[in-house]
Amino acid sequence: MSTSKKKAFRIEPFKHKVEIDPKYAERTWKVLDEAICEIYNHNASGLSFEELYRNAYNMVLHKYGDKLYMGLVDTLSRHLKNMASTIEAAQGGLFLEELNRNWLEHNKALQMIRDILMYMDRTYVPNYNKTPVHELGLNLWRDYVVRYPKIKARLLDTLLDLVYRERSGEVINRGLMRNITKMLMDLGIDVYQEDFEKPFLEAASGFYKLESQEFIECCDCGDYLKKAERRLNEEIERVSHYLDPKSETKITAVVEREMIASHMNRLVEMENSGLVHMLIDDRYEDLGRMYSLFKRVSGGLGLVRDVMTSHLRETGRQLVTDPEKLKDPVEFVQRLLDEKDKYDKIITTAFINDKTFQNALNSSFEYFINLNPRSPEFISLFVDDKLRKGLKGVSEEDVETVLDKVMMLFRYLQEKDVFEKYYKQHLAKRLLSSKSVSDDAERSLIVKLKTECGYQFTSKLEGMFTDMKTSKDTMQGFNAVVSNADSSESPTLSVQVLTTGYWPTQSGAVCNLPAEILAVCEKFKTYYLSTHTGRRLTWQTNMGTADLKATFGKGQKHELNVSTYNMCILMFFNNVNSMTYKEIEQATEIPALDLKRSLQSLACVKGKNVLRKEPMSKDISEDDVFVFNDKFTSKFYKVKIGTVAAQKETEPEKQETRQKVEEDRKPQIEAAIVRIMKSRRVLDHNNIVSEVTKQLQSRFLPNPAVIKKRIESLIEREFLERDKNDRKVYRYLA
Amino acid sequence: MAMRKEDTIKLVSAEGFEFVIDRKAAVVSDTLKSMLNSTGSNIRDAELGEVKLPEISTPVLEKVCEFFYWSLQFSNGIETEFDIEPEMTSDLMRAANLLHT
């Protein structure tokens, strides 16, 4: 290429002008027209692609694109009309097949035509805003075949009929269905939806409405749910086989609505088989099914949850208020634990650990456990029983499991401070009589309580343990000292020194100890005070025990384990044979109630009557006479009399404890009020009440009336004052 | 190196000159591609592997074949220049239009 040419570069017009006259266009078109016919008649092999392509190319190039396009539309329409009549003529079952066959052919032909006319598609079509060939072909098919009135209705009916038959259990040609629905989808999503999906959904709705009516009349809940589930799965499978995936949500919605949502209430409340019965009978499978089905429907799970909650609350309420059950606290608590286990299992197995159900369970338990004001006491008794004997020989992990379960019940309590009080009492008795089965278990429970409620809750309890240990050390020291001095006939003493603050307060009863006992007690006191100056020791005679060696009439020797009071009483019978009640009372100075109880345990208990009472009545009266029972016999050498085990409190004791609890609460409430007011300075009445409740709720639920009283007391003592303008507002006084 | 029949295409110019090129090169042109891949595989051209192009003169067709190969090279990363003589330009354009290249 020379440079000069480059400078003078310009485009020259066509060297040869190709002039096409209309006749040529006509002829060219004819060629193409015939070719299309041949294609539709499966005679494409005789054609030359290149020739046809070139022809189409030329037509467009020479501005006969219009003619070409219109011609195409014409020809295609003609052929499609033919196809439509063929299809329409098909009989019965062959209708769909005929349709399918023609559709496939049409597609093949369309492909070829498009290839040939590619040039037109590329240039003419976009320039003149015409529909591209492929789309054109589809649209024409849609208009001349699918929407051809006779075919349209028949197509829809056939399809719906097939679906109905399949639902009724027949096997249908799924492949064919697939092709047809695919055809509809190819024609455009709106065609699929309008011409098929909508009527399909309506038909399904009607079908399931009927079916669900039928089922619900004759089936029980479990069966119905099984059937519903089956239908649901069927529909999903159907979609995967021959429907548009997008239809899945729509059809499942229909089934859910007709089979589940409309009958939700009826199912749940069905007699003998509804939700309540499933819960009672632990029907995990049915429950699981109900859960997964109802989950799909809005409000379904809410309904299930509500029914479960109300049933649980009712059952729980019955449990805690049934007087029969309340007779045995251990049994009572065990029943609660069993109930909790049952529902835990249900929620884990059938309700896939749904948190909302777990919460419902917790709130129900909290509700009915606190219905019975004695629940804290009973739970403590349950623990006491377990720690005394129930956990004997049980493996460590099992112990932990039981304690964890107890903790769980503990959390539901609103009056945790009541529990604390009882627990302290029971623990004291256990420790002092060394009746605890496992020290480790005791400590483990304390740790759990500490984690749950904080250090303050358990500090005193831990103090009790420390006291026991310290006492052991002290005793070792004392015994060493005593054995050096002469001991001979003095009784062996074992002392536990209790720090007053830690242990539950008992009325410090006094009684006259026998001389020998007194002597050795003084020795101990001296010893102790020598090492711990500035402390005061008081003998708690109502809590001790003694072992006595007794010889009876025929020479039988027995070792009697008795309470300290009993020991004092019995020692007198070393000197005399009989005493009256009054004499005993005077000599020992034991308080009347305790004395009566002690005498009862000595004289009125079968098999343990070391004393005989005259008259032989059950109750102790002031005129009774007590005689040493020579004829006492027992199978065992060691006889235990009247051990003080933790009992369910009698009415007066109960009142007393409750009163103590209320008294303890007052300062706590006051402390809370002062704390709050100090930081807030000014606050109105309702807010104070809610803040106080919030602060104290881990221990107990304060009564608003009590809070009010405390506020007034604080005002009197000038910690707070009322606002001058608004009587409901309080101000903190520094 | 003997090429198998299926791998090559014969392009015939207006004057009847035959140009044998690889199928790979030929399908650079969309038109040729669809001609050869036509679903109606009973279309003659596809079977024979031969395409008549009576509208395209020999020198133009030759240039077109060159272009096919150059295009393949280019897409493999080898960038060279493709020379076009000015006089041939318009004819080349027409051919390109027809063949969609």
Side-chain angles (χ1 to χ4, degrees), chain A residues 83 87 97-110 134 137-138 141-142 145-146 179-180 182-187:
Chain A
M83 281 184 156
I87 295 172
E97 284 183 31
E98 196 57 33
L99 178 62
N100 191 37
R101 193 173 60 82
N102 278 300
W103 165 248
L104 291 172
E105 274 176 28
H106 173 69
N107 268 330
K108 256 196 352 206
L110 194 57
H134 183 77
L138 290 181
W141 170 270
R142 178 193 63 201
V145 180
V146 172
N179 284 341
I180 300 291
K182 191 153 186 319
M183 170 187 87
L184 291 170
M185 284 190 259
D186 285 343
L187 290 177

Side-chain angles (χ1 to χ4, degrees), chain A residues 601-620:
Chain A
S601 56
L602 283 175
C604 305
V605 179
K606 207 168 164 202
K608 305 234 172 118
N609 46 344
V610 278
L611 293 181
R612 243 178 331 147
K613 188 167 79 85
E614 282 148 19
M616 283 283 284
S617 55
K618 250 204 141 177
D619 297 315
I620 312 282

Side-chain angles (χ1 to χ4, degrees), chain A residues 1 5 9 12 14 16 44-50 53-54 57-58 61 108 111-112 115 118-119 122, chain B residues 31 34-35 38-40 42-45 51-55 84-87 89 94 97-98 100:
Chain A
M1 268 187 255
K5 283 259 169 75
F9 182 65
E12 311 247 338
F14 279 126
H16 50 278
S45 50
L47 305 169
S48 159
F49 187 98
E50 183 276 326
Y53 186 84
R54 197 171 14 103
Y57 171 79
N58 280 329
L61 199 63
K108 256 196 352 206
Q111 180 96 324
M112 272 191 255
D115 285 341
M118 204 200 300
Y119 185 74
R122 254 191 295 125
Chain B
T31 313
S34 40
M35 272 194 208
S38 192
T39 45
N42 43 17
I43 284 197
R44 206 175 9 140
D45 310 315
V51 181
K52 292 208 178 67
L53 300 163
E55 297 260 320
I84 305 180
E85 276 150 43
E87 299 107 355
T89 319
R94 256 198 324 144
N97 199 11
L98 175 69
H100 193 210

